């Protein structure tokens, strides 16, 4: 549980930087209601939901082996979602942002993410 809480504490600012700064900047060019930005936000939501459910159940105490197994599946699902998500960021989203944002926008992006 401690490791999951530590990971969540690091993931939350990561998500905030993307959802609050990067996605809106890229959305000007490619939109946010469908396509890459919508997919990335959906994956954030799914991972956070799985992590939150895992923590709630794990902290509430697990009586049966079946409960433990189902709870472990929640964190495993989050892991699979985020592994694929981070790969998309590195191989698609970030290179796309590098190509489409102007130098001024990149500087603005850098300044804003430093504040988070």
């Amino acid at each position: 549980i401690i490791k999951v809480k530590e990971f969540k504490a690091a993931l939350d600012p990561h998500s905030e930087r993307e959802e609050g700064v990067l996605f809106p900047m890229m959305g000007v060019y490619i939109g946010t209601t469908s396509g890459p930005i919508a997919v990335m936000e959906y994956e954030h939501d799914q991972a956070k939901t799985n992590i939150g459910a895992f923590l709630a159940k794990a902290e509430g105490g697990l009586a049966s082996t079946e409960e433990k197994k189902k709870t472990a599946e929640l964190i495993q699902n989050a892991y699979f979602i985020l592994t694929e998500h981070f790969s998309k960021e590195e191989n698609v989203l970030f290179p796309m942002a590098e190509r489409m944002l102007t130098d001024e926008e990149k500087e603005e992006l850098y300044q804003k993410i430093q504040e988070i």
Side-chain angles (χ1 to χ4, degrees), residues 15-113:
S15 297
E16 188 177 335
R17 287 182 197 104
E18 287 181 359
E19 293 174 6
V21 184
L22 178 62
F23 293 171
M25 290 179 84
M26 291 182 71
V28 170
Y29 297 98
I30 60 172
T32 58
T33 57
S34 65
I37 302 300
V39 170
M40 300 303 271
E41 287 183 332
Y42 177 75
E43 291 172 354
H44 281 180
D45 292 344
Q46 291 301 301
K48 289 176 188 177
T49 297
N50 277 279
I51 292 168
F54 169 83
L55 288 171
K57 289 180 184 238
E59 290 174 333
L62 304 168
S64 72
T65 301
E66 188 61 28
E67 284 180 308
K68 291 174 184 175
K69 183 177 175 184
K70 287 184 178 187
T71 301
E73 287 173 1
L74 290 167
I75 204 65
Q76 186 177 35
N77 289 341
Y79 170 79
F80 290 138
I81 290 165
L82 290 172
T83 299
E84 186 175 321
H85 178 84
F86 295 147
S87 177
K88 288 178 191 174
E89 287 177 348
E90 294 296 325
N91 296 302
V92 178
L93 189 72
F94 296 158
M96 184 186 296
E98 182 68 33
R99 288 189 308 273
M100 82 174 43
L101 298 178
T102 65
D103 289 342
E104 292 79 18
E105 288 170 322
K106 290 174 193 172
E107 181 59 32
E108 178 185 351
L109 173 65
Y110 177 77
Q111 294 300 325
K112 287 182 176 179
I113 64 171

